[in-house]
């Protein structure tokens, strides 16, 4: 996440990034926000789905692994970079049915966590070129 945020803030110095953090991930999110104090804010995990939906609705774009967040963003017509496991069948069944989305998958049979920050960044650049997000 650090490297992706570095790439985003280098290209777009005024970008605002909201990190959704579960209680166990909060220390890591806080250390990231300290490194990028002008760009990164933390959204602490909450069971309040409607509040979260309202935040997603206001987002300019969403970068997320295969979670409900992608589908919420697609419902609000927000541009999405979705990180999915390397399975075309899975992406067809569970990917966003949304024209403003780019799906990023790992190479070969690797796991989703092997997707490089550069690959995600390149997808965001492509999405930004199409929809002028930032």
């Amino acid at each position: 996440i650090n490297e992706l945020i570095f790439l985003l803030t280098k290209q777009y110095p005024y970008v605002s990034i909201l990190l959704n953090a579960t209680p166990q991930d909060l220390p890591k999110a806080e250390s990231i926000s300290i490194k990028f104090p002008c760009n990164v804010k933390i959204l602490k995990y909450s069971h309040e789905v409607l509040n979260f939906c309202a935040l997603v609705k206001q987002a300019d774009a969403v970068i997320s692994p295969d979670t409900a967040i992608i589908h919420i963003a697609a419902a609000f017509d927000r541009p999405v970079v979705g990180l999915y496991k390397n399975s075309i069948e899975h992406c067809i069944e569970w990917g966003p049915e949304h024209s403003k989305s780019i799906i990023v998958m790992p190479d070969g049979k690797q796991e989703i966590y092997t997707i490089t920050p550069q690959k995600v960044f390149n997808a965001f650049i492509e999405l930004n070129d199409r929809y002028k997000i930032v």
Side-chain angles (χ1 to χ4, degrees), residues 21-34 42:
T22 61
Q24 64 265 28
D25 291 330
L26 195 54
K28 184 176 180 179
E30 289 171 341
S31 72
I32 292 170
S33 70
I34 289 169
I42 299 171

Side-chain angles (χ1 to χ4, degrees), residues 17-134:
I17 299 168
L18 187 61
L19 282 180
N20 187 22
T22 61
Q24 64 265 28
D25 291 330
L26 195 54
K28 184 176 180 179
E30 289 171 341
S31 72
I32 292 170
S33 70
I34 289 169
K35 292 177 187 171
F36 304 95
C38 296
N39 303 93
V40 175
K41 304 296 179 232
I42 299 171
L43 173 63
K44 294 180 183 175
Y45 178 80
S46 169
H47 294 287
E48 300 296 326
V49 175
L50 293 178
N51 290 341
F52 186 76
C53 289
L55 288 170
V56 171
K57 183 178 182 179
Q58 297 302 314
D60 292 325
V62 171
I63 300 173
S64 175
D66 180 12
T67 63
I69 295 169
I70 287 180
H71 303 288
I72 293 167
F76 289 123
D77 201 35
R78 303 289 90 200
V80 172
V81 175
L83 290 80
Y84 282 77
K85 67 181 184 178
N86 196 345
S87 166
I88 299 299
E89 296 81 19
H90 180 81
C91 291
I92 290 170
E93 185 173 354
W94 297 105
E97 294 182 15
H98 176 44
S99 63
K100 294 181 182 176
S101 64
I102 294 178
I103 292 175
V104 179
M105 295 186 292
D107 297 325
K109 296 291 183 187
Q110 297 180 20
E111 298 294 327
I112 192 171
Y113 65 83
T114 64
I115 297 171
T116 65
Q118 187 65 53
K119 195 170 185 178
V120 177
F121 178 69
N122 291 346
F124 183 83
I125 293 284
E126 183 180 335
L127 205 61
N128 187 54
D129 287 346
R130 285 190 215 163
Y131 301 107
K132 307 302 180 222
I133 300 164
V134 181

